[in-house]
Amino acid sequence: MDKDRPVYVISVAAELLEMHPQTLRLYERKGLIKPKRSGGKTRLYSERDIEKLREIRRLTQELGVNLAGVEEIMRLRSELEALQARFEAEVARLKEEIGARFEELERPALPPPGATAKPSPKDRPVYVISVAAELLEMHPQTLRLYERKGLIKPKRSGGKTRLYSERDIEKLREIRRLTQELGVNLAGVEEIMRLRSELEALQARFEAEVAR
């Protein structure tokens, strides 16, 4: 079955999802879902729409993520899928272009002995928790909570003192924006940060492969 074929009218889609039709209309107004329209302007949902709506239901009902958080998560997933498709298409193109040489090039080159990647200054751990909290206008306990939730992983000194880098501070500012400005709960923030990390890693891999 073609997952993108619009086949379900709103009443059937709502029944499949155990949702009220008004909920589906709300998600459409928020831009979370875009059902196709028939010639008579009847909404028609595809199997892919149903899968997306099930995921929205999981995020809202099971994880308690608000719609602003859901919107951010769905946008990031869409970006990730698009980048993955672009990456795969580019690899396929390169394989076809260089043929037999691709297998040789695909083998990762070993770094010279003793060579290590040069760390970014942004990753240098410099701020103790009290300074980081002051920079962020947060309570130190909030930073400890985010660490327990796995949202941030500050380095530790020899004496086990938490040390935050500039990159940590940037990440914490974004967490503050998501929680305070958009009202996203920590489960939603965790999903957003995970997707962003995946997107950044895939982007770096894509750029490295194309450059190679």
Side-chain angles (χ1 to χ4, degrees), residues 68-98:
V70 171
E71 187 175 357
E72 182 75 0
I73 289 168
M74 302 310 280
R75 183 185 65 78
L76 287 167
R77 286 191 180 168
S78 179
E79 282 187 25
L80 195 56
E81 287 169 6
L83 184 58
Q84 181 68 45
R86 183 180 164 208
F87 176 75
E88 289 172 359
E90 184 65 15
V91 168
R93 185 189 68 79
L94 289 171
K95 277 186 176 180
E96 185 177 351
E97 186 175 305
I98 62 180

Side-chain angles (χ1 to χ4, degrees), residues 183-207:
V184 182
N185 68 356
L186 292 187
V189 170
E190 187 175 358
E191 183 74 2
I192 289 167
M193 302 309 279
R194 182 185 67 77
L195 286 168
R196 285 191 180 166
S197 178
E198 282 187 24
L199 193 58
E200 287 169 6
L202 184 59
Q203 181 70 47
R205 184 182 165 206
F206 177 75
E207 290 172 357

